[in-house]
Amino acid sequence: MKIADKTVTRAILERHGFTFKKSFGQNFLTDTNILQKIVDTAEIDDQVNVIEIGPGIGALTEFLAERAAEVMAFEIDDRLVPILADTLRDFDNVTVVNEDILKVDLASHIQNFKNPDLPIKVVANLPYYITTPILMHLIESKIPFAEFVVMMQREVADRISAAPNTKAYGSLSIAVQYYMTAKVAFIVPRTVFVPAPNVDSAILKMTRLPQPAVLVDDENFFFSVAKAIFVQRRKTLWNNLLGRFGKSPETKEKLEAALTAAGIAPNVRGESLDLSAIAHLADCLKAQGLS
């Protein structure tokens, strides 16, 4: 029987006297069919190394270890380390690292894989409370992850994968889609977790693009413009740009010139602009000396 079987999960928790810590956002998956589907979606085989974040008691880790070359699982809760040593004792291709994924030197840990040159995929059930910081930290790192197949709150997955002219589309969509393609693979109901969260989850599959989706003169400036145009979603692009750059006559003149050069009407809303339009706008703003 698998770790994720409800009776096995319950027995493991009782045997080790484990209690859930709300501060770590712990929800353990107890559905083997969904775990199999996650591993299938990630297309894991023995030519892939896997990074897992928040393995819990090892339910997903077990499925990954059966298929992957190696699994490196980062667990912040030191109470779970001895439990994982117990539940995963039959696997010699799993390393559990008791570290915070946001603080660890991941590049040096990756060199500890037996074959660090294999493609690396991130497969994880991410804690809801810190999903976005973890994802952006990993995406913006210089580590060339081939793919992410991660579970998160459904609303966040919808925002990341959203297209222009939708309510979910925003600066998070742009921040991720600049680097990766993003698609919701399937929905996971809240009823398959212990304890059950208050919302449904989604499995998001993200594949790294060979190069960023758009070319920009200044990446940091591009992201700051993308963030600025969504600060007040109901406001026009013009009003959000004034909020970001200021309202002096000189600044207004430069903004008008940049919008004209970009071919964008000032009365549109940020959600109507795709990545290439925002990239062009950022370059035109930069060309006007705005920063």
Side-chain angles (χ1 to χ4, degrees):
M1 288 175 74
K2 298 287 190 186
I3 295 166
D5 184 279
K6 281 185 181 177
T7 55
V8 177
T9 294
R10 200 175 297 120
I12 292 167
L13 297 177
E14 285 175 6
R15 185 163 73 246
H16 291 275
F18 182 81
T19 53
F20 293 91
K21 262 193 184 175
K22 206 170 183 181
S23 61
F24 287 142
Q26 291 164 330
N27 304 94
F28 297 164
L29 190 52
T30 57
D31 188 308
T32 55
N33 291 327
I34 287 173
L35 287 164
Q36 186 64 57
K37 207 171 170 184
I38 292 170
V39 176
D40 290 343
T41 299
E43 300 175 85
I44 301 300
D45 59 30
D46 61 5
Q47 295 304 302
V48 169
N49 286 329
V50 174
I51 297 287
E52 186 187 7
I53 298 143
I57 60 172
L60 175 57
T61 324
E62 179 180 30
F63 277 80
L64 292 168
E66 288 171 347
R67 300 257 292 265
E70 282 186 82
V71 180
M72 192 175 290
F74 290 84
E75 177 53 63
I76 194 171
D77 187 350
D78 52 15
R79 300 175 306 149
L80 285 166
V81 176
I83 299 178
L84 288 163
D86 173 25
T87 60
L88 301 172
R89 62 186 178 277
D90 294 335
F91 296 98
D92 61 3
N93 62 339
V94 176
T95 303
V96 175
V97 182
N98 183 204
E99 296 274 4
D100 181 344
I101 193 68
L102 292 174
K103 296 176 182 174
V104 72
D105 181 356
L106 196 52
S108 64
H109 274 287
I110 283 168
Q111 292 307 309
N112 293 327
F113 279 126
K114 290 187 184 73
N115 186 352
D117 296 327
L118 289 177
I120 300 170
K121 296 188 178 186
V122 176
V123 187
N125 173 14
L126 295 175
Y128 286 165
Y129 76 103
I130 201 167
T131 295
T132 303
I134 289 174
L135 267 185
M136 293 315 300
H137 175 70
L138 296 176
I139 290 170
E140 291 171 353
S141 75
K142 299 302 178 188
I143 299 165
F145 298 111
E147 207 164 68
F148 292 74
V149 175
V150 286
M151 191 185 305
M152 62 188 68
Q153 192 172 328
R154 183 177 181 176
E155 180 193 345
V156 178
D158 287 341
R159 283 168 55 206
I160 288 172
S161 59
N165 293 307
T166 61
K167 279 185 180 178
Y169 183 69
S171 55
L172 181 58
S173 322
I174 292 155
V176 173
Q177 292 174 31
Y178 177 79
Y179 296 104
M180 324 206 59
T181 61
K183 185 181 179 184
V184 174
F186 59 95
I187 305 304
V188 181
R190 65 193 78 182
T191 51
V192 298
F193 293 93
V194 175
N198 298 323
V199 293
D200 290 335
S201 302
I203 298 295
L204 189 70
K205 182 171 184 170
M206 300 182 292
T207 306
R208 185 175 286 278
L209 295 164
Q211 60 186 40
V214 289
L215 295 175
V216 292
D217 292 338
D218 182 331
E219 275 190 3
N220 290 335
F221 185 67
F222 163 73
F223 288 124
S224 77
V225 170
K227 196 172 282 187
I229 66 178
F230 290 101
V231 166
Q232 300 277 350
R233 290 188 69 92
R234 301 177 78 84
K235 285 191 173 183
T236 62
L237 176 64
W238 176 255
N239 282 328
N240 276 326
L241 290 175
L242 289 179
R244 165 67 174 78
F245 294 103
K247 300 178 182 178
S248 71
E250 185 190 359
T251 299
K252 286 182 178 179
E253 200 175 302
K254 288 180 177 180
L255 288 174
E256 284 173 358
L259 286 166
T260 300
I264 298 171
N267 62 344
V268 301
R269 289 194 172 90
E271 66 197 48
S272 69
L273 303 179
D274 62 14
L275 257 74
S276 57
I278 297 167
H280 189 35
L281 173 61
D283 287 350
C284 290
L285 291 165
K286 189 87 174 171
Q288 289 296 320
L290 293 163
S291 60

